[in-house]
Amino acid sequence: MADTAELQVTPLHSLHVSLGARMVPFAGYDMPVQYPSGVMKEHLHARTSAGLFDVSHMGQVLVKAKSGKVEDAALALEKLVPVDILGLKEGRQRYGFFTDENGSILDDLMITNRGDHLFVVVNAACKDADLAHMQAHLSDSCVVTLLEDRALIALQGPRAEAVLAELWAGVSAMKFMDVREIPLLDVPCIVSRSGYSGEDGFEISVPSDKAEFVAKALLEHPDCEAIGLGARDSLRLEAGLCLYGNDIDTTTSPIEASLEWAIQKARRTGGDREGGFPGAQRILGELSNGTARRRVGLKPEGKAPVRGHAKLFADAEGKTEIGEVTSGGFGPTVEGPVAMGYVPKEFSTPGTAIFAEVRGKYLPVAVAALPFITPTYKR
């Protein structure tokens, strides 16, 4: 994707350029990695005030049962995810993931019950494959539609509610994972109280032709600033949140990835709708018996960041390799390097001392509990 002529652009592309963003190729799109203030200041602004992110490259998909009953759409989609969708109430959203027959993760996603259909948001790099996956397995009972005329923007941070309340006062009544259809400046938007920063905030699905209008209105608030992909990555890392393609992929199971919290009782052994999803035998077995390895937080000593793909060792001499870093960098909020990776179960207890290979040296790293910051979701 080095040739920018091949890159797609989001409806906010011109706004990013006008704000002085440095644009980079990401998941087939020309995206802002940072603005003139820089990644560090953008990160801290999102942690202390409110940041606006363009996530329009992600896929927004409608799943509607041919019967017209959202319960039928929920049961159909449950055949692809180990998540309780039937129990998801109207106006509520839930995190989930597609699994394959090996019990590995094809993608992670957000699922919303919109009353008469399901609204699904998938990752940009996987959206074509996800759409094909859903259409191949759900078309007998559902109509699966990719929305190509909508943008998606995320407003994140402790001042996010105050910023959005300037456009719609009722936002203060929403709780974490609530979803509402809201008129923002007379523009019909689908707003969820969620995000991927560890902070309170919102994700706003807006018609493409109105995206810049709504984004500019939010940015007019003195507490709100545009934030790029660089800070988005460091924010989600501090929050212990997985990035598909780094921390989870088709080589990892949900249990290895420490995502068992996202598999509700109804889909587990003994539940009302036990199994019935791809890879159920492995995943339910791992829920009962554990896994050989686990995703953990990693806190390197000193100030040197440990990046993704760094090898992890049990000893300071680098004789016994035990795992690999999947995401790593400097955490501006914690004022030091943070990382995540996979280690054998016996090394997964917080406080365990291991070592990471960085430029031929073996740096001490402590296994740490996730997240590295305290999330501020409004429960």
Side-chain angles (χ1 to χ4, degrees), residues 45-89:
H45 188 85
R47 283 272 183 257
T48 57
S49 195
L52 192 71
F53 303 77
D54 182 8
V55 288
S56 303
H57 56 315
M58 300 182 75
Q60 301 179 64
V61 182
L62 300 186
V63 179
K64 189 163 187 174
K66 293 178 181 178
S67 68
K69 298 178 180 179
V70 72
E71 294 85 0
D72 291 341
L75 289 170
L77 192 56
E78 281 191 1
K79 295 177 182 177
L80 301 181
V81 299
V83 176
D84 177 7
I85 306 175
L86 185 63
L88 188 61
K89 294 180 180 179

Side-chain angles (χ1 to χ4, degrees), residues 10 24 58 125 151 169 214 229 254 346:
T10 74
V24 298
M58 300 182 75
V214 172
L229 291 176
E346 60 268 29

Side-chain angles (χ1 to χ4, degrees), residues 124-309:
C126 303
K127 68 181 175 184
D128 291 340
D130 289 345
L131 183 66
H133 184 59
M134 284 188 277
Q135 288 175 335
H137 291 90
L138 305 181
S139 291
D140 285 350
S141 60
C142 299
V143 177
V144 179
T145 309
L146 177 67
L147 298 181
E148 301 190 72
D149 60 350
R150 296 189 76 85
L152 192 65
I153 51 182
L155 179 66
Q156 301 283 291
R159 294 289 294 161
E161 180 183 298
V163 172
L164 194 56
E166 294 285 324
L167 304 187
W168 191 70
V171 73
S172 60
M174 293 178 67
K175 304 293 186 185
F176 183 55
M177 293 294 198
D178 277 349
V179 181
R180 300 285 183 270
E181 186 159 344
I182 293 170
L184 300 180
L185 300 170
D186 295 324
V187 177
C189 298
I190 301 169
V191 178
S192 65
R193 192 156 199 161
S194 62
Y196 224 62
S197 65
E199 297 296 330
D200 181 27
F202 304 88
E203 292 196 336
I204 305 165
S205 174
V206 55
S208 296
D209 60 351
K210 299 293 185 181
E212 186 169 322
F213 173 62
V214 172
K216 283 182 173 179
L218 293 168
L219 289 170
E220 284 176 3
H221 195 288
D223 291 339
C224 186
E225 293 184 6
I227 312 293
L229 291 176
R232 180 172 167 83
D233 192 52
S234 55
L235 288 160
R236 69 92 194 166
L237 177 55
E238 286 186 339
L241 299 170
C242 295
L243 176 63
Y244 192 84
N246 287 44
D247 311 292
I248 51 176
D249 55 28
T250 53
T251 70
T252 56
S253 79
I255 317 307
E256 289 177 325
S258 301
L259 296 174
E260 59 269 21
W261 57 267
I263 303 175
Q264 290 75 32
K265 183 179 179 180
R267 307 306 307 281
R268 297 187 179 208
T269 301
D272 292 340
R273 296 182 310 289
E274 171 186 336
F277 50 85
Q281 183 176 358
R282 175 189 179 183
I283 292 169
L284 295 180
E286 289 182 348
L287 276 169
S288 299
N289 305 316
T291 59
R293 63 173 190 154
R294 294 281 281 176
R295 177 177 64 94
V296 297
L298 301 167
K299 194 73 178 68
E301 287 187 13
K303 293 291 185 181
V306 176
R307 306 289 181 184
H309 303 300

Side-chain angles (χ1 to χ4, degrees), residues 312-322 355 357 362:
L312 296 169
F313 295 85
D315 56 284
E317 295 75 37
K319 294 179 180 177
T320 306
E321 184 177 330
I322 59 170
F355 298 85
E357 184 179 11
Y362 300 95

